[in-house]
Amino acid sequence: MIGLFNRFFINLKRTIRFFGYYFLIVVLLMLFLNLILFNIRNTQNDVITNNLKTTAQHELNNINLYIETKLAAIHEDVHLVLNANELSDYLADSSPANLFEYQAMLYRVMTSKAYLMNTYMIDINGDITYRIKRKLDGSLETSTDNLGSIQSESFFTMLSMLDEDKLFISELHLHNNAPVITLIKPIYKDNHIDSYLYFDADTQTLLGILKQYAEETEYLSFGLVNDHSIWSYDSTLERLRISTDSDRIISLQQAIEERNSAIALTFDFYKSSDHFVPEEVSDINIYVQINRDLAIADSSYILLRYQWLILVYNLIAMVALGYITTTIRKRSEDRLVINANMYLTKDNQDTVIITDYHQGIEYTNDMFLKIYGYENTDIRQKTINEIIGVDHVHPFEGKQPKPGFESFVWTKTDVDIYLLNHLKINVDNAFREKQKHYIYVYSEPKIELDRYRIYLTRKESTLIVFRDFLVNQPVIKHETTIMLLRIDSVNILNFVKFLNLHLNDDCMIAIINRNYVMFFGQIQKNKLPQKIEQIELLIERYRYLPLSNRYISYLFVIAQASDKVNSLDDLLDGVLIGLEYARFQPQYKHIIYQSNMRQHIERGNAIFNQLEHGFINHEFYMNYQPQKHASKDRFFGCEALLRWHNEALGDVSPFEFISVIENSFYVSKLSIYVVEKVIEDFTPYAKKLPKDFKISINLTSFDFNDKNMMERLMNLIIESPIDQHHFIFEITESQYIDNIKKTNRIVEKIHDNQMLVAIDDFGTGYSSISSLKSIDIDLVKIDRAFVKDIPDTDDGQMLKTMIDLVHGLNKTVIVEGTETATQVDFCISHHCEYIQGYFISKPVDIQTIANKFLVSKSK
């Protein structure tokens, strides 16, 4: 039997050797035919898809133009009313006769403009003084008595802020089953708002075009969509319908974003400078859904309709490749590399350049053209050095590159923006191993900037990269400056192009990666603040550009040459130390490097090295600072404060160790540890707690934004002997500013579990009043910075304003840091509900809390 198998394999080997070339030819022919069939099928699919998308885009543009034209007409009608002589006469003389002419003019307008459903005259207090209403039969009804008020409407407070030339436009909504938009115009008299004109405009004629397109197109369906609803024409019911199904809205928006089965065109209410649209009004997208499957099913393309035919050829190709892999693998590997790049880099995020043997550019992918700003005709047969090379930085300088080369390199765009890249070079070998092409792949560089501790271990290799960028640059005392900008939520290339367009030529700009930008220049010390301000103002301008993210977050670190900072290495060390220092000072948007920051970082490193010892040996413990009713002689609750005494470091301030923990992997332990400690401390007194006693616990950003962590924290409390209504979670402004909707979902979950939420350190962050108004928190803790100098150098006006502001938003106020009787009296006189500070009590242990505030109160 063994001899039989040996003879079989010997004969098989001989057969393969004998028929090898013929077998190879057959396989290649089958593969070639397979590729042709796939290309035909893909081409047919692309033809159908592109035709549908082209048609859809064309029709979207037509619909958009139609709606814009109709809206412009409505807008023009409103302005005709505002410019009417009757209105001018009434404003000049508010006699009953002029009022009657004014009302008669409005009635004539309603008669001639069938799309107007309601017209109101509204006084400055929001009371409706005159109404013309269109009834279902089309007739008009006027009223002057008991017409109600719009003062309770959410938008009423905005109307007082409207300029004379601004027209308020509401969101598209239903009124008596008709799609309506509301337009409100202030009437100014003697430079003050005298009254308002209110119009409800029926948009049936606007949206009627959807019916026309629904009846004319077989594979396309049109409609409108925003964050709340979908408007579409139902051909079965022969009427417009609205859907508020959130799952359907999300599914449609995802399809639009991916541009697979739907595309959209945003209809921009902001287009006109004389419109005012509330921020909460979401963008309306005119969308078209594409039924590609139906189009393919109706097509005459055989390969698309019967795709199983191609499977036969695929199976043959796979079997053939399985036989020949061992003999041709070496020759085909490099060819497969270049083929993969040629066919797949269209959607690749890396930049790919393919050159000939003499490094003349033959091919680039779309990402190269997008990043570097060139056209194919500009670069053909030029070398990489000529197009994107940087003097003294490119590693070859005309020499032939070595295959397998990998390194960090600097390149430059067409507008002189420097880019740091990771370069990898592959080589395509033709027959007999003769070199034919080089493949340059420029990808995102993996360079450590975020952690100074890690940077120290790789410092030399990191500095080499930046020395290449700054080679031959002089270091001049009080002039040479390096600025490092870390920025999130932007398209970094578009953002830097914007900066480069508006900055002077005194700075070189380099993109380190998708989050970091470096500026280098000779800036006189007295002009440095203006340069910093200029860049920060440009960031704010970019925030409000179309298609930009308004919730951009950034940090700016600056190092300038001085007596102690006198080399490029020192400058680079300075910005990276400043970057690490910023982790302990999150309230700052820009930081200028100072020599004492190094000691601060070293202290942070020492704290970090002791964290594990601290957690393992239970060195952390809790203190509690009482909180008192401002106007009553009883206590409201206490804030749980984590403390640490370490064997090596002694007592470590929370201002030091909290920020270190939050920037380490121990952050996942922090809040769990605190909640467990609080429960452990208060469990013996659970039944003695006053009904309204509250225990405040600070949350980290890590915990608050992690759904699973929040569930775990709340479950710990729910399963404890302490009733959950005793607990308040405190968050900072930075934890909610980036995503109000997400914050409200988390707050709602906390409320569902009978716990409260407070904003801590209010006034020290960067959130807007509208952001605070939009979240459903219960209490606002005003930071001690606003009370600590009262009355010595502060008259308290700012604190009073903040208390009034919070009260105006129907929130409860706690003032932190009250240390004197004068400060407490000030808070009481301005109706602050609760106070906290050393005047009441310093932080104390649980036994003191129990003896002083719980046990004595329960007797």
Side-chain angles (χ1 to χ4, degrees):
M1 182 66 69
I2 295 176
L4 180 63
F5 275 107
N6 284 337
R7 286 195 299 272
F8 171 78
F9 284 112
I10 290 172
N11 288 330
L12 178 61
K13 185 176 180 180
R14 289 175 179 174
T15 301
I16 293 175
R17 286 180 177 176
F18 182 82
F19 293 103
Y21 288 104
Y22 295 97
F23 181 71
L24 179 61
I25 292 172
V26 171
V27 170
L28 291 176
L29 286 174
M30 294 300 299
L31 181 60
F32 180 71
L33 180 59
N34 213 339
L35 290 173
I36 290 176
L37 292 174
F38 269 108
N39 284 333
I40 292 173
R41 175 186 170 276
N42 290 337
T43 301
Q44 292 171 347
N45 185 70
D46 290 342
V47 167
I48 290 177
T49 301
N50 291 336
N51 285 342
L52 288 173
K53 286 187 176 181
T54 300
T55 302
Q57 190 65 55
H58 177 73
E59 303 301 354
L60 282 179
N61 292 335
N62 288 341
I63 293 173
N64 182 62
L65 179 61
Y66 178 88
I67 293 178
E68 283 187 344
T69 303
K70 289 292 184 179
L71 276 179
I74 293 174
H75 198 174
E76 184 64 27
D77 290 339
V78 172
H79 277 284
L80 288 175
V81 172
L82 296 170
N83 294 325
N85 293 332
E86 289 86 349
L87 176 56
S88 300
D89 293 341
Y90 175 70
L91 291 175
D93 179 8
S94 303
S95 65
N98 286 340
L99 174 61
F100 176 79
E101 291 297 327
Y102 179 19
Q103 294 172 345
M105 178 271 292
L106 292 177
Y107 190 93
R108 291 194 300 273
V109 170
M110 286 282 289
T111 303
S112 62
K113 305 298 179 183
Y115 66 85
L116 291 177
M117 307 299 295
N118 297 296
T119 297
Y120 300 156
M121 290 171 54
I122 302 171
D123 65 19
I124 191 65
N125 297 317
D127 296 323
I128 302 172
T129 59
Y130 180 67
R131 181 186 68 192
I132 307 175
K133 177 180 178 183
R134 191 177 301 280
K135 296 191 291 186
L136 293 177
D137 61 0
S139 61
L140 300 179
E141 176 185 88
T142 63
S143 305
T144 57
D145 297 321
N146 301 321
L147 301 181
S149 172
I150 66 167
Q151 190 174 15
S152 61
E153 298 291 343
S154 60
F155 58 79
F156 179 73
T157 56
M158 303 178 192
L159 299 181
S160 63
M161 298 183 289
L162 288 180
D163 294 334
E164 187 171 0
D165 298 323
K166 292 288 186 181
L167 174 66
F168 176 94
I169 301 181
S170 75
E171 195 161 38
L172 189 65
H173 59 280
L174 283 177
H175 180 76
N176 293 332
N177 293 321
V180 169
I181 59 172
T182 297
L183 303 96
I184 305 175
K185 187 75 175 183
I187 306 301
Y188 272 75
K189 181 178 181 180
D190 297 328
N191 296 322
H192 292 87
I193 297 178
D194 175 78
S195 58
Y196 302 95
L197 274 180
Y198 178 114
F199 301 95
D200 278 334
D202 182 2
T203 60
Q204 288 279 12
T205 55
L206 277 171
L207 303 183
I209 194 171
L210 299 179
K211 172 182 178 181
Q212 175 184 341
Y213 279 95
E215 295 172 346
E216 291 180 357
T217 55
E218 185 176 2
Y219 308 122
L220 305 176
S221 55
F222 296 82
L224 304 179
V225 62
N226 60 14
D227 292 342
H228 314 299
S229 55
I230 298 174
W231 304 75
S232 59
Y233 181 76
D234 192 326
S235 56
T236 304
L237 301 176
E238 294 187 350
R239 65 177 175 83
L240 284 168
R241 64 176 180 140
I242 182 171
S243 171
T244 57
D245 185 342
S246 60
D247 290 337
R248 186 182 170 203
I249 294 172
I250 293 172
S251 175
L252 177 57
Q253 290 177 334
Q254 183 176 357
I256 291 171
E257 181 178 352
E258 297 172 353
R259 294 183 66 86
N260 50 13
S261 61
I263 60 176
L265 181 68
T266 301
F267 182 79
D268 191 0
F269 275 117
Y270 298 90
K271 215 170 197 183
S272 177
S273 60
D274 54 0
H275 288 172
F276 177 83
V277 183
E279 288 184 1
E280 60 268 20
V281 174
S282 56
D283 290 338
I284 293 179
N285 290 291
I286 311 169
Y287 73 86
V288 54
Q289 286 188 288
I290 301 171
N291 193 335
R292 187 175 60 182
D293 293 337
L294 179 60
I296 289 174
D298 292 344
S299 73
S300 59
Y301 296 135
I302 301 300
L303 289 179
L304 282 179
R305 297 176 64 184
Y306 307 105
Q307 298 184 25
W308 57 267
L309 291 173
I310 302 178
L311 180 61
V312 175
Y313 298 101
N314 282 329
L315 292 175
I316 294 174
M318 291 174 63
V319 171
L321 288 173
Y323 278 104
I324 65 175
T325 297
T326 56
T327 60
I328 66 169
R329 183 180 56 197
K330 182 62 180 72
R331 292 184 180 179
S332 63
E333 277 180 347
D334 293 327
R335 175 57 62 186
L336 289 174
V337 170
I338 192 170
N339 284 343
N341 279 285
M342 290 289 288
Y343 287 103
L344 301 179
T345 53
K346 181 177 181 181
D347 297 320
N348 195 350
Q349 294 303 306
D350 295 337
T351 296
V352 178
I353 304 174
I354 298 178
T355 72
D356 60 19
Y357 181 67
H358 301 288
Q359 298 182 61
I361 297 175
E362 289 194 343
Y363 170 81
T364 62
N365 66 342
D366 292 342
M367 187 58 65
F368 171 86
L369 303 177
K370 178 181 178 181
I371 290 177
Y372 289 95
Y374 293 101
E375 298 293 336
N376 276 317
T377 54
D378 299 332
I379 62 176
R380 186 68 63 191
Q381 290 306 311
K382 292 184 179 179
T383 67
I384 293 179
N385 273 339
E386 291 175 318
I387 298 299
I388 63 173
V390 180
D391 292 342
H392 309 292
V393 176
H394 202 278
F396 307 122
E397 298 181 357
K399 300 177 182 179
Q400 295 299 329
K402 294 181 180 180
F405 175 89
E406 289 190 53
S407 181
F408 292 114
V409 298
W410 289 95
T411 57
K412 188 165 63 171
T413 70
D414 63 329
V415 291
D416 292 334
I417 296 172
Y418 294 83
L419 305 177
L420 178 62
N421 298 278
H422 177 267
L423 171 61
K424 182 177 181 179
I425 299 176
N426 297 318
V427 179
D428 167 51
N429 295 321
F431 188 63
R432 296 180 182 176
E433 302 300 318
K434 182 180 179 182
Q435 290 183 340
K436 296 291 290 184
H437 295 91
Y438 293 106
I439 305 170
Y440 294 74
V441 181
Y442 296 87
S443 55
E444 177 83 2
K446 304 299 181 184
I447 187 166
E448 181 56 53
L449 295 174
D450 288 335
R451 288 288 190 273
Y452 187 68
R453 288 187 297 271
I454 301 175
Y455 158 75
L456 287 176
T457 65
R458 307 174 186 172
K459 179 176 179 178
E460 189 58 35
S461 59
T462 303
L463 287 176
I464 288 173
V465 173
F466 290 105
R467 287 194 195 104
D468 285 341
F469 171 57
L470 302 172
V471 66
N472 295 336
Q473 295 293 334
V475 178
I476 305 172
K477 181 180 176 182
H478 299 318
E479 286 193 18
T480 303
T481 306
I482 291 180
M483 299 182 280
L484 191 64
L485 173 66
R486 184 180 69 206
I487 189 162
D488 299 306
S489 304
V490 298
N491 180 310
I492 194 69
L493 184 64
N494 292 341
F495 169 71
V496 173
K497 285 182 177 178
F498 173 81
L499 290 185
N500 193 50
L501 181 65
H502 294 87
L503 285 176
N504 300 329
D505 295 333
D506 56 0
C507 278
M508 298 165 56
I509 305 179
I511 298 176
I512 311 301
N513 59 31
R514 69 186 58 182
N515 295 112
Y516 283 94
V517 181
M518 176 179 281
F519 303 84
F520 177 87
Q522 306 297 341
I523 306 171
Q524 295 179 5
K525 186 176 182 179
N526 61 342
K527 294 183 179 179
L528 183 58
Q530 292 92 322
K531 177 60 67 175
I532 296 171
E533 182 180 6
Q534 181 188 15
I535 294 176
E536 290 188 326
L537 286 174
L538 287 174
I539 294 173
E540 292 304 315
R541 282 182 55 190
Y542 187 83
R543 187 194 302 270
Y544 291 96
L545 290 179
L547 304 180
S548 290
N549 187 343
R550 295 193 179 185
Y551 300 109
I552 293 173
S553 60
Y554 68 91
L555 172 66
F556 208 25
V557 183
I558 305 99
Q560 189 171 64
S562 63
D563 291 329
K564 296 182 179 180
V565 182
N566 50 29
S567 70
L568 288 175
D569 290 7
D570 291 342
L571 286 168
L572 290 168
D573 269 357
V575 292
L576 295 177
I577 289 172
L579 198 64
E580 183 76 7
Y581 180 80
R583 297 182 182 280
F584 307 99
Q585 306 292 339
Q587 71 271 28
Y588 295 132
K589 286 301 181 183
H590 75 262
I591 290 177
I592 299 178
Y593 169 71
Q594 304 292 333
S595 59
N596 61 353
M597 291 180 182
R598 188 184 295 271
Q599 287 74 33
H600 190 95
I601 298 302
E602 290 173 353
R603 171 70 172 173
N605 289 341
I607 292 172
F608 177 83
N609 292 332
Q610 291 294 320
L611 284 179
E612 184 172 3
H613 185 277
F615 278 107
I616 291 175
N617 292 281
H618 303 286
E619 294 178 346
F620 294 95
Y621 60 95
M622 302 304 301
N623 274 350
Y624 302 91
Q625 185 167 30
Q627 300 166 328
K628 190 177 182 180
H629 287 270
S631 58
K632 302 176 184 177
D633 188 23
R634 62 188 183 92
F635 289 89
F636 164 67
C638 62
E639 180 180 0
L641 302 170
L642 189 64
R643 296 292 185 260
W644 183 20
H645 180 81
N646 178 255
E647 292 181 1
L649 302 175
D651 288 323
V652 186
S653 166
F655 295 104
E656 293 182 304
F657 72 77
I658 291 294
S659 58
V660 175
I661 293 177
E662 289 182 345
N663 287 284
S664 72
F665 51 83
Y666 293 103
V667 66
S668 59
K669 296 183 178 181
L670 182 59
S671 292
I672 293 175
Y673 189 92
V674 169
V675 170
E676 289 177 342
K677 278 286 188 183
V678 169
I679 292 173
E680 179 184 337
D681 285 349
F682 277 91
T683 293
Y685 313 101
K687 295 182 179 179
K688 299 178 181 179
L689 291 175
K691 185 176 181 180
D692 60 348
F693 191 84
K694 303 296 181 184
I695 308 167
S696 298
I697 297 176
N698 292 281
L699 291 179
T700 67
S701 297
F702 174 86
D703 299 323
F704 185 71
N705 290 293
D706 187 318
K707 177 182 177 181
N708 295 328
M709 181 61 73
M710 288 303 302
E711 290 283 352
R712 185 174 177 184
L713 294 175
M714 288 188 285
N715 286 336
L716 283 173
I717 293 173
I718 293 170
E719 294 168 4
S720 75
I722 307 168
D723 197 297
Q724 57 260 39
H725 82 269
H726 288 297
F727 288 87
I728 298 175
F729 285 126
E730 294 189 9
I731 62 175
T732 60
E733 295 175 72
S734 61
Q735 289 169 246
Y736 69 81
I737 186 63
D738 289 339
N739 194 327
I740 298 296
K741 291 183 179 179
K742 180 180 179 182
T743 297
N744 277 332
R745 288 196 297 268
I746 298 171
V747 172
E748 182 181 1
K749 187 67 175 179
I750 295 173
H751 285 164
D752 289 343
N753 286 289
Q754 303 176 41
M755 305 175 205
L756 302 181
V757 181
I759 298 297
D760 193 17
D761 298 333
F762 180 72
T764 62
Y766 300 90
S767 63
S768 64
I769 302 306
S770 61
S771 299
L772 180 62
K773 181 181 179 181
S774 301
I775 61 173
D776 302 325
I777 51 94
D778 306 286
L779 303 97
V780 175
K781 298 184 71 175
I782 297 178
D783 189 75
R784 67 179 299 272
F786 297 95
V787 70
K788 66 183 181 68
D789 295 324
I790 297 175
D792 299 334
T793 59
D794 187 349
D795 62 0
Q797 186 59 42
M798 179 60 75
L799 177 60
K800 176 184 180 300
T801 300
M802 296 188 71
I803 293 173
D804 292 342
L805 170 67
V806 176
H807 283 159
L809 298 175
N810 295 321
K811 314 291 185 187
T812 301
V813 174
I814 302 178
V815 177
E816 299 180 284
T818 51
E819 299 181 358
T820 67
T822 302
Q823 293 169 355
V824 171
D825 291 340
F826 184 92
C827 294
I828 294 173
S829 65
H830 291 90
H831 312 294
C832 169
E833 287 87 350
Y834 306 109
I835 52 177
Q836 174 182 339
Y838 280 16
F839 184 81
I840 307 303
S841 173
K842 294 182 178 181
V844 295
D845 58 25
I846 183 61
Q847 192 60 52
T848 303
I849 288 286
N851 294 338
K852 190 172 183 180
F853 307 120
L854 301 182
V855 175
S856 61
K857 297 295 181 182
S858 63
K859 291 180 180 180

